[in-house]
Amino acid sequence: MSIAELLDGIRPGPWTVKAACGSGSGPDVDDFHARAQAVQHAVSRFCFTYCSARTECLESAIQREALHGVQRHGIYGGLTATGRHDLAVRRRKAAREAEGAGSAS
């Protein structure tokens, strides 16, 4: 899998140029979609440690998954599909609570 295939569907932006996954110095691009938990943890640690585009990558993946109904898979922004799902659920809950608190005043 090439870096272009890995980022397929991710909204391109200036951050993709600084993405560590395209530097050639990290995990194999196929490892970003590995099923083995040990490989997923290694890729996640790499992203959190070395990628200066981690936040932008994560936000782009979350938006793509929410807006286009894309099935979650792989590691984006250092989070697994489950991690991104959990983050999205927490964000929706916090938004509902903030909305409810705002309408109560």
Side-chain angles (χ1 to χ4, degrees):
M1 177 181 297
S2 69
I3 189 64
E5 291 169 319
L6 176 67
L7 294 175
D8 183 41
I10 299 287
R11 195 172 35 132
W15 65 267
T16 57
V17 175
K18 61 182 183 172
C21 59
S23 69
S25 62
D28 185 79
V29 176
D30 289 333
D31 290 346
F32 284 81
H33 293 278
R35 295 201 183 273
Q37 203 168 34
V39 176
Q40 289 180 357
H41 288 296
V43 171
S44 183
R45 282 192 306 271
F46 170 80
C47 293
F48 274 95
T49 304
Y50 298 108
C51 189
S52 58
R54 189 185 72 76
T55 302
E56 295 95 332
C57 178
L58 176 62
E59 292 305 322
S60 184
I62 288 174
Q63 284 180 354
R64 179 176 57 99
E65 291 164 350
L67 294 175
H68 302 292
V70 175
Q71 181 179 359
R72 288 180 174 89
H73 65 281
I75 301 211
Y76 292 93
L79 292 183
T80 62
T82 301
R84 291 191 309 281
H85 169 76
D86 293 348
L87 177 60
V89 168
R90 285 193 309 269
R91 285 180 173 181
R92 284 192 301 271
K93 181 180 178 186
R96 281 192 307 271
E97 289 172 355
E99 187 178 287
S103 63
S105 4

